[in-house]
Amino acid sequence: MKKMISMLLALTIVLCLAACGGNNTPATEAPTEAPTEAPVLKVEGTMEELLNKVVEKQPVEFMGGTMPIDLTDTSDDGKWMVKSYTGLDSTESITEAAFFEPMMGSIPYSMVMVRTAEGADIKAVAEGMKNGIDQRKWICVEADDLQVVSYGDVVMLIMVGSDTGMTSQSFVDAFAQVCG
């Protein structure tokens, strides 16, 4: 845990010191809509468990790690963490969040899952994630393949660089298999 925090802090310092220009490529995939006529299905498992299951179904070719996001941390660092990983400005509509990202290197890849709060507008959470995420949050690389999808009370954001040999669709398909 200390190593992961140290690596995240080191990455933050590097990001602060380095500056790369570029434009944000708009997302091409709209989030799925939650059913409105029936109660929202509660997906079993923690966000970390679900992320790990998706990676089991759709393996990655890099050393990655799953980390929870502390939604109770209201410090500037805590708010930055939520915004940087989920794209959301607030934690009001979510009760749990985690991400899976490469442990080292500038690989444009991020998979994030959040559990929506009871009664939350799942479509609005998904739209907030899609519109708020920075697809150039890494040093000089960009994730140009982005999708935000939902199943039950879970929203998943997946973004990858097209030059990585991975596609967001393969992870969306694995997410669908994991959730049923």
Side-chain angles (χ1 to χ4, degrees), residues 7-180:
M7 288 171 34
L8 285 173
L9 288 173
L11 179 62
T12 302
I13 290 169
V14 171
L15 288 172
C16 290
L17 296 175
C20 293
N23 61 348
N24 283 342
T25 305
T28 58
E29 189 70 30
T32 59
E33 292 187 30
T36 55
E37 64 279 347
V40 176
L41 172 71
K42 304 282 186 216
V43 178
E44 294 294 320
T46 67
M47 297 303 93
E48 294 110 305
E49 291 169 345
L50 293 173
L51 284 165
N52 289 330
K53 287 179 181 179
V54 169
V55 173
E56 285 176 21
K57 293 269 185 204
Q58 178 56 54
V60 296
E61 294 184 15
F62 56 80
M63 182 84 108
T66 303
M67 292 285 296
I69 300 171
D70 183 0
L71 302 180
T72 63
D73 184 353
T74 58
S75 70
D76 287 343
D77 288 341
K79 291 175 185 176
W80 172 85
M81 187 94 155
V82 169
K83 179 66 174 176
S84 176
Y85 288 102
T86 69
L88 298 172
D89 294 316
S90 166
T91 59
E92 292 175 4
S93 298
I94 59 175
T95 60
E96 184 183 2
F99 63 90
F100 180 88
E101 287 196 350
M103 290 186 173
M104 304 265 313
S106 294
I107 302 169
Y109 173 95
S110 183
M111 183 168 46
V112 181
M113 287 188 196
V114 301
R115 185 176 306 280
T116 56
E118 189 170 328
D121 183 347
I122 296 169
K123 183 177 179 184
V125 171
E127 282 290 328
M129 291 174 73
K130 181 184 92 173
N131 295 329
I133 199 68
D134 179 4
Q135 292 174 255
R136 288 192 58 84
K137 70 180 189 173
W138 305 276
I139 302 169
C140 299
V141 294
E142 178 178 11
D144 57 356
D145 183 5
L146 167 73
Q147 290 193 58
V148 179
V149 295
S150 64
Y151 182 84
D153 62 344
V154 175
V155 179
M156 180 184 83
L157 178 147
I158 177 69
M159 60 182 178
V160 301
S162 57
D163 60 344
T164 62
M166 298 179 282
T167 66
S168 64
Q169 188 61 50
S170 62
F171 292 95
V172 168
D173 293 344
F175 175 65
Q177 290 176 3
V178 166
C179 291

